[in-house]
Amino acid sequence: MTITTVSTAEEMRAVAKAFGATLHAGDVVILTGPLGAGKTTFTQGLAIGMQVRGPITSPTFVISRVHPSLVGGPSLIHVDAYRVDSLNEIDDLDFDSDLHHSVLVAEWGHGKVDAVVQASYIVNIERAEDDVRTVQIKKVVS
């Protein structure tokens, strides 16, 4: 488990960039934390580390976006499960068929996406009143 404290969006992206460079096709990353914690900012850094096409914006209203690799690596499937009401909706997105050549990153995915596909990592982001964030990256052992 890795725990890091960040004070700026740039620091958040840098932490995520380093983590993103270690990800492989089939990895599933579940992002947790309150509104405004920095989940999309973290995903922007992951995308930089994975070298995928951007821009990375919140997929809240479209549920899912696919960002293809610029260097022949895995694509990034960016999911926002905040507005998803049922496990059937998640299952209908058919992520497991795309995972053999992609990395799935799910904001608000805990208890939703990880009920359909096995999580590889849980990233919890907490924001203190002074806007300092604590980022905890935990590898899930299956």
Side-chain angles (χ1 to χ4, degrees), residues 26-46:
D27 285 340
V28 176
V29 180
I30 305 294
L31 303 178
T32 67
L35 282 170
K39 294 179 291 294
T40 300
T41 302
F42 189 88
T43 304
Q44 290 169 345
L46 278 178

Side-chain angles (χ1 to χ4, degrees), residues 56-103:
I56 304 299
T57 59
S58 178
T60 298
F61 295 102
V62 296
I63 308 296
S64 174
R65 287 194 173 101
V66 177
H67 300 276
S69 176
L70 298 171
V71 295
S75 296
L76 170 65
I77 302 172
H78 184 198
V79 175
D80 188 330
Y82 185 76
R83 297 190 186 282
V84 173
D85 294 324
S86 74
L87 293 180
N88 286 339
E89 288 180 74
I90 293 290
D91 198 34
D92 287 345
L93 295 172
D94 200 25
F95 296 128
D96 50 347
S97 67
D98 292 328
L99 275 179
H100 63 280
H101 56 81
S102 301
V103 170

